[in-house]
Amino acid sequence: MTVDRISKDELLANYDTFLFDADGVLWTGDIPVPGAIEWINLLLDDPSKKVFVLTNNSTKTLDQYMKKIEKLGFGHLGSDNVISPAIVLADYLKSKPEKFAGENIYLIGTENLKATLENDGGVKCFGTGPDSIRDHTDGDFIHHVDMSISPRAVVCSYDAHFSYPKIMKAANFLQDPNVEYLVTNQDYTFPGPVPGVVIPGSGATSASITAVTDRQPTVFGKPHKPMADFLLRRAKVDPKRTVMFGDRLDTDIMFGNANGQLSITARQQNNETEEPQKQGWISKLLKGQNSDPSSWQKQSHSSLLSNSELMYEFMTHNYRPGEQDAYLDAFGKYKNEMNAKNPSIELVGSWTCSYGRTRDQAIHLWRHNKGYEDVDSSIALHGKDSGIRAADNDVARLCGRRKNLIVKSFSYWREPEQRPPNHVYDLRSYVLQPGTMIDWASAWAKGIQYRREANQDVGGFFAQVGQLYVVYHIWAYPSMSDRNDTRHATWAKPGWDATVANTAKSLFFSSSHQEDAIENTHTDQIFAARIKPNPMSFI
């Protein structure tokens, strides 16, 4: 049975086992779907619930997959919670030692799949890596192939080195009816970060083998029976109390339906003119709202890249030279007025520029804890409240230029946290090419890991209202010397240069926001009237 709408309470009351597809449901590329981490953790915290991630991706070892899961923020999931065709296939090979133990397998697949089958399945694989027609002939046809190794099975999966010689070898091996034909999965395409670009998958390679051999394979991934049988052996699940969350009708939803489970679609199958949802379908489940999971893939970048309902505002003021003290005094009064009129609009940080092209500049970061409700409140206060208008006018008289942007925080950055006084802050801004925000986020979801050891990451934000395609990164250091040492140490880490190279491709223009370092020298003056500050309330 497939449904498009269901509530959290209904799910928790009526189902004990929760199955999730991975890429496209829990995350997209390297970006968690809003609410997915919280939903998984909620289920794992309940001892009466069983949770499994059923992926059809066999290109990673289980250890590699677990590292990705942890990096994305799903660290509560354990290795026993993850099932892939590679795991199921290795279990199948190991379960038949009389036929496969120590025997040769011809593998059309990746080195990672080879490692899984050899380490967990107890077999010896050959055939991975490049195999070009020019390794066999100078002509257009191969008339003879090396058949000196006789395999017990041909295993077919995704293979970036798939070639005509591999088709020919597999076809000739499979002429022997005693050689089993095994396929990890038949997904014809992979999900990818670039809309409109087709990425062929395992189904594309196995289709060629099937066509020339007239052999029907045993398939181990969704929606086929071996994965369901493996799940039943591992968890003894009750299909009537099991729910499958998936985005592909031909794998995930068919898997759930074929095994008597509830299937929830997480892919848009509706009219393209329907209004996109404002938040992720899993987020809506967590809030107890009836969820329409079929609509999440039509969300804006804002919903995909951020799992928070908070809104932030960057306020940039260029005050007149020589007027810093007067400006800070005026801004302090403005801040106090805002706190009094709407306490949920919170000043997170205030900085003045120490280095950059515009020395006489202040940056203020506000947090709108009620999201756009606070944004609307701010607009109303500036239009009607005489105290706010007067304080704002006093600030304006001391400035030559002012601007503000409404932004959201990237899901892979943590929320801004308090730092000790007199830290140095490096605020960097980037203007991206339209359409590259997902690529940027994918690269930085990995890259942020290189810059967390020194507790330097403060916040990462992307524009919502104002100048679009703008990204802000804020870094913190105890001193400029520490900044220099930390940055040099980051460049020494293998892989950091790739992050820089990948993100550079997205740039239309980059700068250090007219300053390379912003020093928090005036917090006491601006926050002088603040009593018992929340430790999260300022940087």
Side-chain angles (χ1 to χ4, degrees), residues 75 127 146 189 193 243 294 342 372 375 503 530:
D146 183 1
T189 60
V243 57
S294 67
N342 189 339
Y372 276 109
V375 175
T503 56
R530 193 173 186 89

Side-chain angles (χ1 to χ4, degrees), residues 458-471:
V458 176
F461 308 89
F462 59 102
Q464 297 289 287
V465 179
Q467 183 182 0
L468 300 181
Y469 311 113
V470 173
V471 169

Side-chain angles (χ1 to χ4, degrees), residues 316-321 323 327 358 360-361 394-403:
T316 304
H317 291 170
N318 291 357
Y319 50 82
R320 294 192 179 90
E323 298 284 3
Y327 164 79
T358 306
D360 301 304
Q361 186 177 71
D394 288 342
V395 172
R397 293 188 189 97
L398 294 164
C399 295
R401 177 174 175 268
R402 298 192 300 168
K403 70 173 183 178

